[in-house]
């Protein structure tokens, strides 16, 4: 079976200082695309690059519990056929940390662990 086409959506990290991260990546040509508070109270920053690549940062606030493990640090991929990808991964024994559900933006998504235990967010392209 051929693998569905995948495009990198973003890579997500935690940061202790979102302002410092923004300043650093702006020096490298990034564009600030989002700087907001999530409904849970976390500061979320999205930086875009030429060609469509994005970095996402959640500011780890000592007064709030850490964000859900699925969105702390992860790689997000847009897939040409999400359901086929999920089926193929399950057949290969991949561990899912979050089964197929609806994202906050209303799109289908799931989270799987790569061989090193990294979270990979799977989204329908």
């Amino acid at each position: 079976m051929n693998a569905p086409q995948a495009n990198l959506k973003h890579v997500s990290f935690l940061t202790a200082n979102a302002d410092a991260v923004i300043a650093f990546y702006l020096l490298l040509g990034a564009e600030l695309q989002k700087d907001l508070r999530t409904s849970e109270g976390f500061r979320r920053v999205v930086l875009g690059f030429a060609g469509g690549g994005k970095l996402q940062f959640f500011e780890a606030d000592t007064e709030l519990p850490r964000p859900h493990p699925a969105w702390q640090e992860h790689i997000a991929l847009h897939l040409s056929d999400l359901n086929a990808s999920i089926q193929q991964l399950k057949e290969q024994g991949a561990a899912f940390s979050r089964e197929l559900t609806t994202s906050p933006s209303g799109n289908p998504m799931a989270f799987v662990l790569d061989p090193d235990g990294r979270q990979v967010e799977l989204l329908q392209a």
Side-chain angles (χ1 to χ4, degrees), residues 7-91:
N7 293 311
L8 182 65
K9 182 178 184 277
H10 65 260
V11 179
S12 183
F13 298 103
L14 293 177
T15 181
N17 186 336
D19 291 325
V21 165
I22 292 168
F24 177 82
Y25 285 103
L26 289 178
L27 290 173
L28 296 173
E31 175 186 312
L32 180 61
Q33 294 183 337
K34 291 183 184 177
D35 187 352
L36 52 86
R37 288 267 171 205
T38 67
S39 59
E40 298 83 8
F42 299 103
R43 185 175 179 193
R44 177 178 169 232
V45 171
V46 178
L47 297 157
F49 293 85
K54 293 181 184 177
L55 292 176
Q56 173 175 262
F57 294 90
F58 288 96
E59 191 169 61
D61 188 328
T62 57
E63 296 177 22
L64 293 170
R66 292 178 75 87
H68 185 283
W71 23 293
Q72 284 185 25
E73 297 195 349
H74 67 272
I75 300 163
L77 300 174
H78 274 136
L79 298 164
S80 60
D81 189 338
L82 178 61
N83 291 326
S85 295
I86 290 171
Q87 183 62 36
Q88 210 171 5
L89 288 163
K90 285 185 176 185
E91 288 171 2

